[in-house]
Structures are given as C-alpha cells and as structure tokens.
C-alpha cells in the first residue's frame, strides 16, 4: 500500500520517457556514506544522445548520484548504494559486475581538470592502451582530440606534458581522454566550475557536439548552463526534516518544460532564486 | 632609520597600533641571528673542503691524476693508488641501491596506495624509519656475527654450482662484497622508502580519481599512473640513497674485507674509499696522511655531486604530481 503510494509519487516526479530511448536508468533508493543517508528516492533515466542536466543546491546529492552511475563512489570507504542502475539490460550494481568494466564503458570528466603527468598524446592514448587497442593509435588520438575541439591547438606539441596546457585546454584534454575509447555514456561532474567564462563556453559548445555520438549526463550548479546545454533537467533538493541532510530528486522534465512550467513548489522557489 | 608608522589610533577608534620599538628590535635581531647561523654553516662547509684540499696538496702534486688509476697501495714503497677503492665504493653502492631501491619503492607503494588502514600505514612507516636510527657500528657487528654465518651456506652453494658466473667466481671467505652490500642496502632502505612515500603522497587525489575513472584496476592505476607521476621524486630518493651508500664507513670497514682488489665477484673481499680512510689514518705518516686527504677529496667530490644532483632532481620535479 505504502509502496504503491510511493511509486505513484515517483511517477508524478519523473517525466515519462519512452523506454527505448533510455540508455541508462538510475534508480537510487538510498545512498549511504557509512551511516549517513546522502540520497534517497531518486529515479533518473538518462536518454540516449541527449544531455541530461543535474541541478540543485549544494549538498543535494547530485554529484553523488552522478558518480554512482559509473561506480566511482566505490572508492569511498563506507559508500553503499541501494537500488539499481540498468544499463544494457543488466544492473551495474549486480554483485557479478566488475566496477572496472563499468567505468570503461561509462566515461567520466571531473570537476578539476586532471590530466596525467605525461604527454598530451599519451593522455589520450591511455584508455586505448588500457583496453589493449591494437589498431591505428595515431588516428584514434587525433579523432578524440578533434572530438574535444583541441586538435588544432595541440597538433604541433603532442609530446608536451598535458599539465603544461591552460585550465580550459586541460579540461578538453580530459574530455578527449574520456571519449577516445568511445564509451556510450559520458558523465561530467561540474566540468566548468574551475574554468573562466571563455573556456566554459567552449566546453558547452563541445558538449552539444558530443551528444551526437555520446549520451551525456552533467552536474552543474549553474542554472543558465543547464538551460543552454541540457535537453532534460533533473532538479534535486536537500531534505533536512529528519535531522539529516538527505538529497532527493524533486522533479525531472525536458529542460524547457522544467524551467517554464515547474510542477513542484520547491522547483519554482529554487528557479526564482528564493533559496540556494 | 625609524620607519614611518601608520597610526590609525590617534584620529579614530581603531584598535590597531604600530609595532613598538621593542617589537622592531626583536624582529631585526632575530633576522640577523638566523642569517648568521645560516652563513656560519655554509662557511663551515667551505672551511672543511678548504682544509682537506690544502692538506691533500703534497699528495696531489706527487701523484697527480695517476693516483686515481693506479691499483697499488704500498706504504713502504711510497706507491699509492685508489682505483680499487673507487671501484669498490661505486660497485657496492650500486648493488646496494639496486637492492635497497627495489625494496624501498615497493614499501612506499604498499604504504601509500590504500592497502592498509591509514593508522597502520603510519605505524609501519615509523618502524621502517627506525632502521635509520640503528648505529652503523651495530650494523657492522650484526653483519659479522649474524649475517655472514647466515649467508655462508647460500654463498657456498652458488659458488659450487654457478661458479662460472663472474659474480660467484670466488668463495666467501668471511667479510666481502656481498655481506657489505646486504647491510648497505638495509641502511639506505629507510631513506629511499621515506622519500618515495613523500613522492606518492604528493600526487593529488584527482590524479588517482582520473586513473580509476578511466577504468584501471588497482595495479594498472599504480603501474601506469602513480609510478610515472611519482618517478621524479623516486629518482631523487634513489640518488640520495646512493649518496648515503657512497659515504657509509663503519659498517663497510667491518664487513667489506679491506682487500686492495678489483673483482666482479660478490664473495670476494674488496675495499671502499670510506673504509680505506677509517682503517689507515691511525698509523699514517706525513705523506700517507696527505694521500688519505687526497682520497678524502675524491670521496667528497663524488658524494657532493651525487647529493647536489639528487636535491636538484627533487626540487625540479616537486616530488611528482605538479609540473
């Protein structure tokens, strides 16, 4: 009875998507860090060849949910995920699934640009070598760098250390590194928060290009950014009612719809800047 | 010389006061004091080098550069050469670096890559650093009374069966290169382990995250990302360990065998520059004392160069991680 009520509530929160379009379906019932309940009841379907934006105030669990999708949170001691993430007909939290293989299929770009301390070429080739790619390495590296809109800037200095680039270039290098192995889904955790406005704009333009080949999910604390790039937007909030600070999904809808006609009171307040 | 002080207190109700003259005096004298001590240390180093160099002059003018390439050491005939000692010093140090470096880096990986709870990591780190607190002479005694009897059966076995390999071409008579190298590698292990650990810890967390984000297993992350990133700091650690091995005296004087020979064999007795100095100065006449000073200059030059190189590498690479 209670379950039914909850699932109905869930249905109103999340816009209905055609199952065929959903490439990855994240149903986070509860996410814990040790005893701390960080996220509850968040169902986020990620639609193929679209950009899904995660927005919400600090501490609302949007990054936690994103990093749960490729099991990056497994690195944190005490992390526990209850629920499931369906990807190609299997649950990536199934005990038999190796998190390493999940991360090879679902790429990630982080908040801080984090190229390896090796040449630009080797940074991009890293994933290919990791996956024992035997084909034309140069071609794949060039393709990835072109895909990340970085090729023209670095084609004459591929041997330079990746850390010698500017912040925006480093972040595009990280994107090139992530897309070189052509993962189906690309997760981006506030990829522009450490960048200046010009670099931010470049990355945003890049994301729009990337969705033709990849499915993208991006966490952002910038609502304008979500409006500019995201096709679907998921809004998270923090629940402090039971003495904790638990994030949850308030509502998810196509971006234009969410911003023009939010269904939930909380979403309206947040969009009007009444709390952060 | 009084500085103009900005005083907000007179006109407003600000609580800011300029520093008093006592404060300024204290500040200035403290600065002068630290400056003096720093320069005194540098002068002391210069003085040591100057004095040793001066006393080596008679030997340098008598034997010239031939001293470095001659292999005889005959006090009565006044013939001196330190090629076997230079060889012994470099050979023992390289072998010790190979062994101690391997173990040191392995330990550093084990203690920094989340194999153990953080508390246990710290406890083990401190215990390993205690190896550096054991006096050299104790290592020497341990080598003579414990290590040599312990390795003798192994050495005999290797010599009897694999004697055609140059490394095992002589039998272990007691003190020799092998026990000296073993003890030396234990002595440089804490240096290598500690500095390599710093190099690994200096790698920002985001680098590790990037590695796992690409889908590396733990070993792939360590071998393909962490090790190359820390390589600058690790190289510096190896150079500093090497510098320590070059200058180590007491344990080697007790263990290396003090034989004026050049041999590839691990079981043959040999000699090092530091051991030569320690063992020959008590009975040295005027000329021999000058010869020993010449040998000391050579050793000093080698260790100074190695240490400067090590420090330069460490500072240039910032122990890995950064640019």
């Amino acid at each position: 009875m209670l379950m039914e009520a909850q699932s109905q509530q869930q249905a109103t929160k999340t816009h209905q998507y055609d199952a065929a379009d959903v490439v990855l379906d994240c149903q986070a019932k509860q996410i814990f860090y040790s005893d701390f309940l960080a996220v509850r009841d968040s169902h986020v379907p990620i639609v193929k060849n679209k950009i899904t934006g995660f927005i919400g105030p600090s501490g609302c669990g949007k990054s936690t949910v994103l990093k749960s999708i490729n099991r990056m949170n497994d690195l944190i001691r005490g992390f526990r995920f209850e629920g499931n993430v369906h990807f190609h007909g299997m649950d990536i939290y199934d005990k038999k699934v190796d998190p390493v293989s999940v991360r090879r299929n679902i790429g990630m770009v982080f908040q801080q640009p984090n190229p390896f301390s090796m040449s630009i070429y080797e940074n991009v080739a890293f994933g290919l070598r990791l996956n024992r790619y035997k084909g034309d390495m140069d071609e794949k590296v060039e393709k990835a760098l072109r895909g990340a809109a970085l090729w023209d800037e670095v084609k004459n200095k591929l041997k330079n250390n990746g850390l010698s680039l500017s912040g925006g270039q480093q972040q595009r290098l990280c994107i090139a590194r992530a897309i070189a192995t052509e993962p189906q889904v690309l997760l981006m955790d506030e990829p522009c928060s450490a960048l200046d406005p010009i670099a931010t704009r470049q990355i945003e333009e890049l994301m729009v290009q990337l969705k033709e080949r990849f499915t993208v999910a991006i966490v952002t604390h910038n609502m304008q950014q979500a409006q500019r790039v995201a096709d679907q937007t998921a809004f998270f909030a923090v629940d402090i009612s039971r003495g904790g600070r638990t994030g949850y999904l308030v509502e998810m809808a196509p971006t234009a719809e969410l911003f023009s006609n939010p269904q939930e009171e909380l979403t309206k307040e947040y969009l009007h800047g009444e709390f952060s | 010389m009084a500085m103009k002080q900005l005083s907000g207190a007179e006109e407003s109700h600000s609580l800011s006061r300029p520093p008093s003259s006592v404060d300024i005096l204290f500040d200035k004298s403290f600065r002068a004091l630290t400056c003096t001590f720093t320069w005194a240390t540098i002068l002391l180093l210069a003085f040591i080098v100057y004095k040793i160099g001066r006393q080596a002059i008679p030997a340098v003018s008598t034997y010239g550069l031939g001293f470095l390439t001659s292999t005889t050491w005959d006090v009565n005939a006044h013939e001196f050469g330190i090629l076997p000692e230079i060889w012994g010093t470099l050979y023992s140090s390289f072998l010790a670096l190979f062994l101690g470096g391997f173990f040191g880096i392995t330990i550093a990986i084990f203690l920094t890559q989340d194999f153990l709870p953080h508390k246990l990591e710290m406890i083990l780190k401190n215990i390993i650093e205690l190896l550096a607190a054991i006096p050299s002479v104790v290592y020497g005694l341990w080598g003579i009374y414990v290590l040599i009897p312990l390795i003798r059966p192994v050495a005999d076995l290797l010599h009897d069966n694999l004697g055609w390999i140059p490394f095992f071409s002589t039998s272990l008579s007691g003190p020799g290169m092998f026990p000296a190298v073993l003890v030396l590698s234990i002595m440089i292990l804490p240096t290598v382990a500690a500095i390599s650990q710093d190099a690994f810890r200096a790698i920002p967390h985001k680098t590790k995250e990037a590695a796992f984000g690409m889908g590396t297993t733990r070993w792939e992350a360590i071998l393909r990302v962490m090790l190359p990133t820390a390589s600058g700091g690790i190289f510096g650690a190896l150079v500093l360990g090497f510098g320590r091995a070059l200058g180590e005296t007491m344990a080697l004087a007790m263990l290396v065998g003090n034989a004026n020979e050049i041999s590839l064999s691990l079981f043959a007795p040999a000699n090092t520059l530091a051991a030569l100095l320690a063992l020959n100065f008590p009975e040295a006449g005027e000329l021999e004392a000058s010869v020993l000073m010449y040998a000391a200059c050579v050793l000093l030059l080698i260790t100074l160069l190695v240490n400067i190189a090590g420090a330069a590498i460490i500072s240039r690479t910032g122990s890995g991680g950064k640019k």
Side-chain angles (χ1 to χ4, degrees), chain A residues 29 35 52 54 74 110 158 210 223 247 263:
Chain A
K29 292 200 175 68
D35 297 334
T52 304
F54 291 27
D74 286 31
F110 297 82
L158 292 172
L210 285 175
M223 282 191 282
Q263 299 298 305

Side-chain angles (χ1 to χ4, degrees), chain B residues 42-272:
Chain B
I42 291 166
L43 277 177
L44 184 66
L45 177 66
F47 182 69
I48 291 171
V49 174
Y50 168 74
K51 271 300 191 186
I52 293 174
R54 242 186 90 100
Q55 296 192 32
I57 285 175
V60 176
S61 57
T62 313
Y63 300 102
L65 286 177
F67 184 62
L68 305 178
T69 53
S70 159
T71 56
T72 44
W73 185 278
D74 189 335
V75 182
N76 298 321
H78 291 304
E79 270 184 52
F80 299 103
I82 53 165
L83 189 62
E85 283 73 25
I86 294 178
W87 161 256
T89 303
L90 294 176
Y91 191 45
S92 62
S93 299
F94 267 114
L95 289 176
L97 185 68
F98 192 71
L99 263 182
F102 178 77
F103 280 96
I105 295 168
T106 318
I107 288 168
I109 290 174
F110 185 61
L111 292 185
T112 56
Q113 300 304 310
D114 300 327
F115 287 99
L116 300 170
H118 187 67
K119 255 190 184 158
L120 196 57
E121 275 181 5
M122 283 299 146
I123 292 170
L124 288 180
K125 176 178 156 71
N126 286 320
I127 291 175
I128 287 160
E129 273 161 30
L130 277 181
L131 280 177
I134 299 176
S136 175
V137 65
V138 177
Y139 273 119
L141 280 178
W142 178 77
I144 288 173
Y145 290 111
V146 180
L147 191 63
I148 292 177
L150 211 61
I151 62 174
R152 196 188 294 276
V154 184
D156 288 344
L157 196 74
L158 285 171
H159 174 60
D160 292 343
N161 296 304
L162 299 166
W164 50 273
I165 299 173
F167 297 122
F168 311 130
S169 58
T170 59
S171 68
L172 185 72
S173 58
M177 189 55 93
F178 191 48
V181 164
L182 286 181
V183 167
L184 205 49
S185 52
I186 298 171
M187 295 177 82
I188 66 167
L189 186 119
T191 310
V192 177
I195 300 174
S196 303
Q197 282 179 63
D198 292 344
F200 278 112
R201 283 183 215 282
I203 300 175
H205 179 68
K206 61 179 187 177
T207 301
K208 193 188 228 171
E209 230 180 13
F212 283 111
M214 289 301 295
T216 59
T217 62
R218 181 188 274 200
W219 280 112
E220 285 165 341
I222 291 170
L223 292 179
R224 289 171 186 247
V225 177
M226 306 307 271
L227 210 54
T229 307
S231 60
I234 292 172
F235 193 63
L238 291 176
V239 176
L240 288 187
F242 187 61
R244 167 124 209 250
L246 289 171
E248 177 46 46
T249 308
M250 200 58 218
L252 283 176
M254 294 164 83
L255 288 170
V256 80
N258 313 307
N260 204 35
E261 287 168 21
I262 298 180
S263 168
L264 262 182
S265 173
L266 294 174
F267 305 140
N271 207 357
T272 70

